[in-house]
Amino acid sequence: MEEPVAAHPTPSSEKRAPPESKTLPRIFWVILSATLMCVVVCIVVAGVLSFNQSASKPLFQVVRFNFPNRPGSPVNQSALVDKSRNTVTYYVTSSSNRTTAVLFDGKSGYICYKPAEQKNCYLRLMDGQDRETVRESFDLSQHRVDQLPLPNDRTRYYREFLGIVPGRPVRPEEAGEAVRALCEGVPIYWVKKKDGPAKQRLIYLCIDICFPSNICVSICFYYLPE
């Protein structure tokens, strides 16, 4: 007689884990990790783009002035206040539509004059009054004043003489970035404040400009002797 073959017990369904029970958690963590990584990358990219846009847009404001010059003919004047570069640039346009630029560079400590239709720029060091002019221009831009009635019955008028120093032009690397941008392609010469030219010296040109301090100045240039 054949002996009955003993049947091997088969594991019950309760003890055998289905294959899906181990695969699903792995898929869940992979998806979660990928999602978090995408979120981090998006935040970083958005931050970089925001920084680049803010860095590429300097903080500046245009403050405009309209005033007649001393003889009475109209002259338009505007001031470009650039706080990111610590500069104020005044543009004076005469009735003949010729524009002169006067740059106050607080960063480098220079004032640069670029007369209308001139092939030269003129540079001098700033003094205390010049720095006060820059500060007043910044304060004016914060109050968002678009026009000033200059001059008026309280306006004070002055004349300032600047002697052009003969010799070689100023090296561009000495002038500063703002001056180089204004006077690109033209020579720059030093000027010095003087009491006035001698009788044999002729005035080369004059620039009439008004400032927020209610002061109008006629800046006149002449050549110093060699």
Side-chain angles (χ1 to χ4, degrees):
M1 294 179 61
E2 296 181 358
E3 297 181 358
V5 179
H8 296 284
T10 58
S12 63
S13 59
E14 296 179 356
K15 296 182 179 180
R16 180 182 300 173
E20 293 83 353
S21 62
K22 295 182 179 179
T23 305
L24 289 178
R26 294 179 181 177
I27 296 176
F28 171 79
W29 287 112
V30 169
I31 294 175
L32 181 61
S33 300
T35 303
L36 292 176
M37 184 173 294
C38 291
V39 171
V40 172
V41 170
C42 291
I43 292 175
V44 172
V45 171
V48 171
L49 292 177
S50 176
F51 175 79
N52 290 337
Q53 289 177 358
S54 61
S56 62
K57 296 180 180 179
L59 300 175
F60 69 88
Q61 180 178 353
V62 176
V63 183
R64 299 190 181 279
F65 309 91
N66 293 317
F67 65 95
N69 63 5
R70 297 186 70 176
S73 61
V75 176
N76 293 323
Q77 179 175 318
S78 62
L80 178 63
V81 179
D82 190 341
K83 296 180 181 179
S84 65
R85 300 170 64 186
N86 194 18
T87 62
V88 180
T89 307
Y90 284 87
Y91 296 95
V92 182
T93 303
S94 65
S95 56
S96 59
N97 203 28
R98 297 178 180 179
T99 301
T100 294
V102 180
L103 167 68
F104 289 76
D105 187 356
K107 181 178 180 180
S108 299
Y110 291 132
I111 298 180
C112 183
Y113 306 88
K114 187 179 182 183
E117 298 186 359
Q118 295 288 326
K119 296 182 179 180
N120 299 324
C121 281
Y122 303 102
L123 189 69
R124 73 171 177 87
L125 292 173
M126 295 178 65
D127 56 24
Q129 182 60 45
D130 301 323
R131 296 189 181 277
E132 181 67 16
T133 299
V134 174
R135 186 191 66 79
E136 291 174 349
S137 300
F138 283 169
D139 292 344
L140 191 66
S141 67
Q142 291 177 355
H143 291 85
R144 304 187 65 85
V145 177
D146 293 328
Q147 289 188 350
L148 289 180
L150 295 176
N152 51 45
D153 55 352
R154 297 181 181 179
T155 302
R156 292 171 291 171
Y157 295 90
Y158 294 96
R159 174 169 286 188
E160 181 177 284
F161 294 98
L162 296 178
I164 303 173
V165 179
R168 298 180 60 184
V170 180
R171 291 184 299 177
E173 57 269 19
E174 296 179 0
E177 180 182 358
V179 175
R180 290 197 300 270
L182 177 65
C183 303
E184 184 178 4
V186 300
I188 307 169
Y189 293 94
W190 288 110
V191 293
K192 294 181 179 180
K193 277 189 175 183
K194 294 292 182 179
D195 294 333
K199 292 183 179 180
Q200 65 272 20
R201 294 286 169 180
L202 298 177
I203 293 178
Y204 176 53
L205 63 93
C206 291
I207 300 172
D208 294 325
I209 184 171
C210 290
F211 298 106
S213 56
N214 208 6
I215 294 176
C216 292
V217 183
S218 182
I219 305 171
C220 297
F221 297 80
Y222 69 98
Y223 284 97
L224 294 173
E226 296 183 2

